[in-house]
Amino acid sequence: MARTNSNERLKRLELLAVQLKQDELCTVKGLARQHGVSERTITRDLLLMREQGMPIDADRGRGGGVRLARNWGVGRINLTYPEAVDLLISIAVAEQMNSPMFLASLGTVRRQLVASFSPDKRDKVNRLKSRILIGVTASTFVQANVATPPSRVVQSLHQAFIDQRTLAIKYQVEGGATSERLIDPHYLLLNYPVWYVIAFDHLRDSPRTFRCDRILAAEQTETRFRLLPKEAFQQSLDGNTVLI
């Protein structure tokens, strides 16, 4: 229980730092209400933040509040390993899109992220990146009909892709008919702005490509799959750029 409370406090301190930097003025009472703790707890948190060197300004009296000094940065962002992987892969996708805007610092960010990984995790990330592909931009017809996949579908697909686990999906084809499939998600393909999953389909016993926004439901199973050689998916991979 003590460890849980400690983790909760660390998260609360990080959120407090962000809030105090962004908000014009915060009150102890308001912060306590937002975080579901007592005003005394928030006061202790602020005292600890001051002891750690954070320049917290306080206005005393009725209507007073607290804030971080304007010229102080929130500091380092502590990312979990999955969060860092997601960010690194997103940077790789952005770089491959060759957009001229806002890419000047991405290389530096990517190098810092990569340097933070241990050698074995670095290899794991590189293998994941090699399974994410960038293809041609989707046709205007496809773009006109694209939808946003449900967040639960995205989360399940994301985790199954990383963990190499078979995914049970409910899929809707272009005509509207639906079917239930068991798929092994080997590759993710972006034909901007449409994402596809290139998978081994157990129903058809062969590779198939599924449009992610047509996956109506998805649930990760306990079954792990081994990656098949690229040659098995060559028809889907031809003409696409592999991110490395």
Side-chain angles (χ1 to χ4, degrees), residues 25-29 58-67:
L25 191 68
C26 298
T27 64
V28 171
K29 183 176 181 179
D59 301 323
R60 298 186 180 278
R62 176 169 292 193
V66 291
R67 67 168 69 88

Side-chain angles (χ1 to χ4, degrees), residues 4 41 56 69 95 143 154-155 171 177 186 191 195-196 225:
T4 300
T41 296
I56 298 176
E95 288 177 326
Q143 291 189 45
V154 173
Q155 292 169 4
Y171 190 71
H186 280 65
N191 285 350
W195 280 98
Y196 297 84
F225 66 87

